Amino acid sequence: MVIPLLFPRNSRDDAPMSQSNRKLIGTVLILVSIALWLGLGTWVYLSLLQGLPWWVHIPYFCVAGMGWLYPAMVIIRWMAKPNVA
């Protein structure tokens, strides 16, 4: 029971995160996830698909181009939650 004595909690620690803080964190998370998706997509293309016929590239680029939307939708849904009083 030493930890509560070393790190006392006040009522502000229990407060839910405000929507403006969620938006800031969510914006950074979206930018980081897009950068990671871009790096992963580039690595897959250069290591596995380079030099293959065009009909292999079309489905890959469709999936790679739209794949970042699903993580972004989850983050945006989290960002849009209203403040709880």
Side-chain angles (χ1 to χ4, degrees), residues 10-11 17-18 23 28 30 34-36 38-39 45 47 51 62 66 68-69 73 75 82-84:
N10 56 23
S11 62
M17 188 180 299
S18 68
K23 285 183 179 183
V28 171
I30 287 174
I34 289 172
L36 290 174
L38 175 70
Y45 175 76
S47 62
C62 288
M66 300 297 282
W68 66 273
L69 287 173
M73 287 187 329
I75 295 170
N83 289 338
V84 178

Side-chain angles (χ1 to χ4, degrees), residues 1 3 29 54 68 70:
M1 296 306 297
I3 292 176
L29 285 175
W54 64 269
W68 66 273
Y70 296 109

Side-chain angles (χ1 to χ4, degrees), residues 9-19 21-22 78 82-85:
R9 298 180 72 181
N10 56 23
S11 62
R12 187 176 177 132
D13 289 342
D14 295 331
M17 188 180 299
S18 68
Q19 190 177 30
N21 286 342
R22 281 194 305 270
W78 173 74
N83 289 338
V84 178

Side-chain angles (χ1 to χ4, degrees), residues 29-62:
L29 285 175
I30 287 174
L31 292 174
V32 168
S33 69
I34 289 172
L36 290 174
W37 187 257
L38 175 70
L40 178 67
T42 303
W43 175 77
V44 168
Y45 175 76
L46 291 176
S47 62
L48 301 175
L49 300 175
Q50 194 173 19
L52 291 178
W54 64 269
W55 51 269
V56 175
H57 290 176
I58 290 176
Y60 170 74
F61 285 118
C62 288

